[in-house]
Amino acid sequence: MNHFLDINRTDAAELRQIIEGARAMKDARNGRPRGMTDDETPLAGHMVALIFEKPSTRTRVSFDVGVRQMGGQTMVLSGADMQLGHGETIADTARVLSRYVDLIMIRTFEEQTLIEMAEHADVPVINGLTNRTHPCQIMADIMTFEEHRGPIAGRKVVWSGDGNNVFNSFAHAAGQFGFDLTFTGPEPLDPERGFLEEARAKGVNVTIERDPHKAVEGADLVVTDTWVSMHDPVSARERRHNQLRGYQVNEDLMARAKPDALFMHCLPAHRDDEATSAVMDGPHSVIFDEAENRLHAQKAIMRWCLGV
């Protein structure tokens, strides 16, 4: 069964197949109304459960639209609807859902919830985000980079900020797609070493550089993410701002990367915190292409999971 749980759990050749499938579907829709169903409807007759323990805009809309464009139907369930792990076990929830739907996408907090869902479901499960990883986002990011600059293999990607779940999936992708990765941020917010070591074991250069100006030298892509979560208390937000202020992606920082370097942010953004509006709206930025490509990448992931 083709679960899509993390980038490092999927064969590199199959990841490439997913990216190429996403590009083909995007090209095929060129100029067509956004609500129009694809001529080919590979998900016709399929029901997809979209589970959101953690709220979302882009993940919910992109999966929902993607399923509908491919002729399928969605059932959107919130954390309040499911009460995962509170009363009925995750294992039993997975077994029951498998009797009703053909595919499960879950956006949750704890990685263990995702793992248990996949272990006990009889249908494919997609990781829509956990506290540790965000693989669908990075598949869209790889697609976006390659649309603009060609193959990402051998390129230099620099992450500025917090070593969070999105960075972790970038580290997985570095090993699978063969690009170099530099993390620049304060030591208390370093990523888990295991993610770095796994990528290095696959032969790519993964480094930590405290000085952001040195880190971005020669960068083909500069990436950041929000400094605070919607769930963080006020005290944590203030501490994060103090820690990360020197890692803001601004025009001066981008000027030290390659002249044709791209800038990405998975959104939502706190403008003029982690990145300035001048960068987000500037010539290096591809953030809205990146957001759109969530739709196309996830359509390809769903097709791969279902083998259609």
Side-chain angles (χ1 to χ4, degrees):
M1 188 179 303
N2 287 335
H3 297 306
F4 190 77
L5 303 182
D6 274 315
I7 287 173
N8 66 330
R9 292 176 178 233
T10 304
D11 182 78
E14 292 181 292
L15 293 170
R16 175 53 58 191
Q17 174 189 331
I18 291 169
I19 294 289
E20 296 306 319
R23 291 177 64 181
M25 283 188 285
K26 183 176 182 179
D27 290 345
R29 290 193 63 81
N30 187 32
R32 301 175 63 200
R34 283 173 171 75
M36 187 181 292
T37 302
D38 286 353
D39 293 332
E40 184 182 8
T41 53
L43 264 60
H46 288 79
M47 177 65 73
V48 179
L50 306 177
I51 302 173
F52 292 93
E53 272 203 301
K54 193 169 187 177
S56 165
T57 299
R58 272 148 296 278
T59 300
R60 175 169 179 166
V61 174
S62 57
F63 267 106
D64 200 351
V65 171
V67 172
R68 292 166 188 257
Q69 285 183 350
M70 294 191 292
Q73 297 184 65
T74 60
M75 176 186 299
V76 180
L77 300 164
S78 71
D81 295 326
M82 300 295 293
Q83 300 270 325
L84 280 173
H86 302 285
E88 185 174 57
T89 66
I90 295 165
D92 286 351
T93 299
R95 294 184 182 107
V96 170
L97 278 178
S98 297
R99 302 296 181 100
Y100 300 145
V101 304
D102 304 291
L103 178 65
I104 298 169
M105 188 288 302
I106 180 167
R107 180 180 173 96
T108 187
F109 293 93
E110 299 303 323
E111 182 183 47
Q112 189 57 35
T113 302
L114 169 76
I115 300 303
E116 287 187 42
M117 184 70 71
E119 284 178 350
H120 297 282
D122 294 323
V123 299
V125 174
I126 295 173
N127 176 2
L129 175 141
T130 70
N131 286 346
R132 294 197 77 213
T133 58
H134 196 1
C136 290
Q137 178 64 58
I138 304 314
M139 292 296 284
D141 292 356
I142 301 296
M143 177 184 175
T144 305
F145 182 90
E146 295 194 338
E147 277 183 338
H148 288 268
R149 296 291 183 264
I152 198 167
R155 302 300 191 108
K156 179 180 178 179
V157 176
V158 176
W159 177 278
S160 183
D162 177 15
N164 63 11
N165 54 352
V166 185
F167 173 85
N168 292 340
S169 286
F170 255 114
H172 282 161
Q176 296 291 68
F177 288 94
F179 59 85
D180 295 336
L181 181 63
T182 297
F183 171 83
T184 185
E187 187 173 359
L189 299 180
D190 276 357
E192 293 181 40
R193 292 283 172 165
F195 289 97
L196 309 183
E197 291 165 3
E198 180 180 342
R200 288 170 183 150
K202 295 183 178 180
V204 295
N205 186 26
V206 180
T207 59
I208 293 177
E209 170 55 65
R210 298 294 171 209
D211 184 340
H213 296 98
K214 290 182 180 178
V216 300
E217 291 176 1
D220 297 285
L221 171 62
V222 178
V223 191
T224 192
D225 194 5
T226 182
W227 290 346
V228 295
S229 167
M230 66 184 76
H231 305 284
D232 288 340
V234 172
S235 59
R237 294 176 184 221
E238 292 174 352
R239 184 173 65 252
R240 285 294 184 93
H241 277 80
N242 291 333
Q243 289 174 312
L244 290 164
R245 203 175 309 279
Y247 295 93
Q248 181 190 67
V249 181
N250 50 40
E251 290 175 290
D252 178 60
L253 194 69
M254 287 303 302
R256 296 168 187 264
K258 285 184 177 178
D260 64 346
L262 299 179
F263 168 75
M264 290 188 192
H265 187 308
C266 68
L267 303 178
H270 295 85
R271 283 176 174 260
D272 300 311
D273 281 352
E274 64 267 16
T276 62
S277 290
V279 169
M280 293 181 67
D281 298 326
H284 298 283
S285 177
V286 290
I287 60 174
F288 296 112
D289 291 342
E290 182 186 5
E292 178 190 345
N293 284 340
R294 287 288 301 277
L295 169 66
H296 307 296
Q298 289 162 185
K299 285 168 69 174
I301 290 167
M302 288 188 281
R303 292 190 68 169
W304 176 81
C305 287
L306 292 168
V308 294

